[in-house]
Amino acid sequence: MLLRLFSFATSIFLALGFVQEITFYTEPNAGGDGFLFRSKQPDLSPHYSSQLRMVRSYCYTGWWIGFNETNYSNQNTLNQDSANGTVVCRNATFPLTMSLRYQGPLDTTTPSVSIYSGTISNYAGGIERTFTALAATNFGFVPKYMVLTGRSSWTGFFNDDFTGNSTCFSTSELVAQVYLTEITVRSLVKGCDAKYESEYYDVDKILVAAGSENATRYPTRYSQHHYPHPHGFPLRTTRYEN
Ligand SMILES: *[C@@H]1O[C@H](CO)[C@@H](O)[C@H](O)[C@H]1NC(C)=O
Ligand SMILES: *[C@@H]1O[C@H](CO)[C@@H](O)[C@H](O)[C@H]1NC(C)=O
Ligand SMILES: *[C@@H]1O[C@H](CO)[C@@H](O)[C@H](O)[C@H]1NC(C)=O
Ligand SMILES: *[C@@H]1O[C@H](CO)[C@@H](O)[C@H](O)[C@H]1NC(C)=O
Ligand SMILES: *[C@@H]1O[C@H](CO)[C@@H](O)[C@H](O)[C@H]1NC(C)=O
Ligand SMILES: *[C@@H]1O[C@H](CO)[C@@H](O)[C@H](O)[C@H]1NC(C)=O
């Protein structure tokens, strides 16, 4: 009974997420005036882009990316994550920052997958589309990068009709990223299922691009044979019904 209560309490704790936010300050150590963002900012100019030049420190939760051009283009001026909801503060100054966004949905407990078109010098830039439904297709581009939230698992398929070679992407974090440099994903379903015979990609452990020459050296990339529950929790499995 005690154990049951304990695991109940644990699941409540796990269910508590956080809203992604970032506050910029004009003095070191979170001092001076501050301004808070909780929304995606495709164009910070002219007001906030000049304000950001005066910033000397910032505090954030979640995962925030700043870009040197509008519409989330090109070089990162900021790329910081606090995937477990801890507020992290840093002293820093910023180069010209013209757009800024958090990854995926505002509340990272939401099980979701986001895909990114990428820009010339940044896979995480460009168009972002976030899905929470059971299945997603017709992306409009072949994603170069993906973000998972809410400790979720997703199966990505080579073809846009949920067929072809597939990969199970799984994370035990509230926000996690995947570079799709070698894996083509044109459709997605929520959850993983042995019936797809997917390759398994542990988003939390693997540090090289999925499908790259070194990926197979990592023990976290399992074959269908040991279809795993690596974190001690069952992968959320959702069947896709035609
Ligand atoms: C930030 O800068 C202040 C003043 O220069 C310094 O006292 C403080 O230790 C710095 N904090 C961090 C986290 O580096
Ligand atoms: C940003 O993208 C939107 C939609 O694609 C477009 O209408 C707008 O002109 C772009 N803005 C800039 C400053 O590039
Ligand atoms: C943004 O960064 C890219 C890559 O370094 C660079 O080519 C581009 O000129 C920069 N854009 C601006 C507006 O500074
Ligand atoms: C959250 O992650 C940071 C490192 O990113 C770590 O220092 C901290 O202890 C973690 N907090 C919790 C509550 O797990
Ligand atoms: C699927 O994967 C297998 C094994 O890696 C490969 O031989 C085959 O060409 C792939 N098929 C497609 C359609 O990508
Ligand atoms: C794979 O690993 C080898 C040896 O560590 C390294 O030389 C090579 O650059 C790596 N390839 C990639 C794509 O990371």
Side-chain angles (χ1 to χ4, degrees), residues 158-159 164-165 199:
F158 185 86
N159 299 319
N165 285 350
E199 277 204 79

Side-chain angles (χ1 to χ4, degrees), residues 23-193:
T23 309
F24 295 97
Y25 298 92
T26 54
E27 300 295 335
N29 265 347
D33 294 327
F35 50 105
L36 166 76
F37 289 104
R38 267 189 205 133
S39 56
K40 309 207 188 221
Q41 299 287 329
D43 189 356
L44 292 164
S45 68
H47 179 66
Y48 286 119
S49 52
S50 51
Q51 291 269 84
L52 276 164
R53 300 309 300 270
M54 296 189 279
V55 161
R56 295 294 174 268
S57 63
Y58 63 103
C59 299
Y60 64 94
T61 70
W63 196 323
W64 288 85
I65 301 191
F67 300 86
N68 77 334
E69 293 175 12
T70 56
N71 277 345
Y72 317 111
S73 281
N74 281 332
Q75 197 167 299
N76 287 349
T77 56
L78 167 78
N79 186 351
Q80 293 290 348
D81 75 291
S82 167
N84 61 16
T86 307
V87 177
V88 178
C89 294
R90 297 179 194 281
N91 291 333
T93 57
F94 290 97
L96 183 64
T97 300
M98 297 295 277
S99 52
L100 173 74
R101 70 180 168 199
Y102 53 85
Q103 308 262 57
L106 186 61
D107 181 348
T108 57
T109 52
T110 309
S112 79
V113 60
S114 300
I115 53 165
Y116 298 79
S117 62
T119 60
I120 297 162
S121 55
N122 196 336
Y123 284 169
I127 300 163
E128 175 191 61
R129 296 186 65 191
T130 297
F131 304 107
T132 55
L134 293 185
T137 185
N138 298 319
F139 297 161
F141 54 86
V142 179
K144 294 202 170 80
Y145 177 80
M146 220 162 66
V147 166
L148 274 54
T149 63
R151 302 191 163 93
S152 58
S153 302
W154 297 83
T155 303
F157 297 89
F158 185 86
N159 299 319
D160 63 8
D161 60 354
F162 313 101
T163 63
N165 285 350
S166 65
T167 308
C168 166
F169 301 93
S170 180
T171 182
S172 59
E173 299 283 356
L174 288 172
V175 200
Q177 66 176 353
V178 188
Y179 286 93
L180 294 174
T181 43
E182 308 284 334
I183 293 187
T184 301
V185 172
R186 293 199 182 87
S187 55
L188 285 157
V189 300
K190 197 180 215 171
C192 296
D193 191 318

Side-chain angles (χ1 to χ4, degrees), residues 8-27:
F8 180 63
T10 306
S11 59
I12 288 179
F13 171 76
L14 288 175
L16 287 176
F18 59 91
V19 168
Q20 309 195 60
E21 62 178 46
I22 189 163
T23 309
F24 295 97
Y25 298 92
T26 54
E27 300 295 335

